[in-house]
Amino acid sequence: WYTDPRIDKDAIEYKLVLANVHSNNTEYEKLFDLLAVEEPDILVLLEVSPRWADELQRLDAEYAHRVVEPREGNFGIALYSKLPIVSAATVATAPLDFPTIVADVAFGETTARVVGTHPTIPLGETSYAARNAQLDGVARLLQRTDGPRILAGDLNMTMWDVNYASFENRTWLRNVRRGYGVLPTWPTYLPVAMIPIDHVLVSEDFGVRDVRSGAHFGSDHLPLIVTITL
């Protein structure tokens, strides 16, 4: 069901940036410089600590629509949008009650559901099971959603993980990387060993015009920059 969107020259483009800011990263200006260059319509940020939330207030004038759920530690999350947010909620996702953002965003005359999530890193049997349980909950949430859908998050899982294909199939979405390469995003401190764990998945309603990793901004993750069409 995938048609190359680059054929449709009249489709409206929207840019989305997904970035795990790293809760201990204090190089705030580098993120703001990146955003000034990229000018995304939608911004999904992960590891948003209370200190990061304070710094991010400077985006309020440009992003009139936002959902910010800061947390101590590594599982705060935020969604900033230049497009109107029709409705939004922050869901405590089992089993660890990490916040998942569920927002209905107006892309012109069409409303799309945007979901942002960040499960735990799967180190050890318990954390591995917790990651899979959170992703299972997100998949079930997406299955209950009609219309255009976007999932963005640090999923702590590569496309080669034994659980990935099943997860993608259950969400009824496709990874925007398809046709654009591996684009590893983590860890920046080991460049030769970087892997793709930050993902954006979209429903068939969206075309994907461009996908690339962005400049290093002090985090242990690179941002993922996606141009979609609708």
Side-chain angles (χ1 to χ4, degrees):
W1 48 265
Y2 176 67
T3 302
D4 190 338
R6 288 165 287 194
I7 297 172
D8 185 358
K9 303 300 183 184
D10 298 323
I12 299 174
E13 290 188 352
Y14 301 92
K15 185 180 286 188
L16 182 152
V17 169
L18 167 67
N20 183 322
V21 300
H22 194 296
S23 57
N24 293 325
N25 176 21
T26 58
E27 298 185 59
Y28 309 112
E29 292 300 331
K30 289 186 177 181
L31 176 67
F32 297 126
D33 289 345
L34 171 76
L35 298 178
V37 171
E38 298 296 343
E39 298 183 321
D41 301 289
I42 294 177
L43 174 63
V44 178
L45 299 177
L46 309 169
E47 297 201 20
V48 177
S49 65
R51 186 171 178 180
W52 260 104
D54 289 343
E55 295 290 335
L56 290 167
Q57 289 181 26
R58 72 177 80 179
L59 296 177
D60 289 359
E62 188 171 2
Y63 292 89
H65 311 277
R66 54 196 175 272
V67 182
V68 184
E69 183 73 22
R71 294 279 182 94
E72 295 290 355
N74 297 330
F75 294 96
I77 192 169
L79 168 68
Y80 291 82
S81 178
K82 294 178 181 178
L83 308 174
I85 294 179
V86 178
S87 63
T90 303
V91 179
T93 320
L96 301 177
D97 290 338
F98 292 160
T100 291
I101 291 175
V102 181
D104 291 329
V105 179
F107 289 75
E109 298 298 316
T110 302
T111 299
R113 175 148 294 180
V114 179
V115 177
T117 198
H118 182 197
T120 191
I121 190 168
L123 290 178
E125 184 176 345
T126 301
S127 293
Y128 178 80
R131 182 206 63 177
N132 293 342
Q134 178 163 335
L135 291 177
D136 179 66
V138 170
R140 285 187 280 107
L141 184 156
L142 287 160
Q143 287 173 353
R144 297 192 298 269
T145 302
D146 296 324
R149 301 173 306 286
I150 299 172
L151 170 64
D154 171 0
L155 303 186
N156 273 313
M157 176 171 61
T158 71
M159 295 87 75
W160 312 295
D161 188 292
V162 66
N163 300 282
Y164 178 81
S166 172
F167 172 74
E168 185 174 304
N169 289 337
R170 285 183 293 125
T171 63
W172 302 331
L173 306 177
R174 75 178 189 277
N175 199 308
V176 296
R177 280 183 173 85
R178 191 176 300 177
Y180 290 93
V182 173
L183 302 175
T185 54
W186 175 88
T188 56
Y189 53 82
L190 285 175
V192 297
M194 288 179 67
I195 55 176
I197 63 173
D198 300 280
H199 299 281
V200 176
L201 289 82
V202 296
S203 63
E204 61 183 341
D205 312 88
F206 289 97
V208 182
R209 190 151 288 172
D210 185 55
V211 186
R212 55 193 167 86
S213 54
H216 182 234
F217 64 99
S219 173
D220 57 343
H221 291 246
L222 294 179
L224 196 64
I225 301 164
V226 183
T227 301
I228 54 178
T229 61
L230 184 63

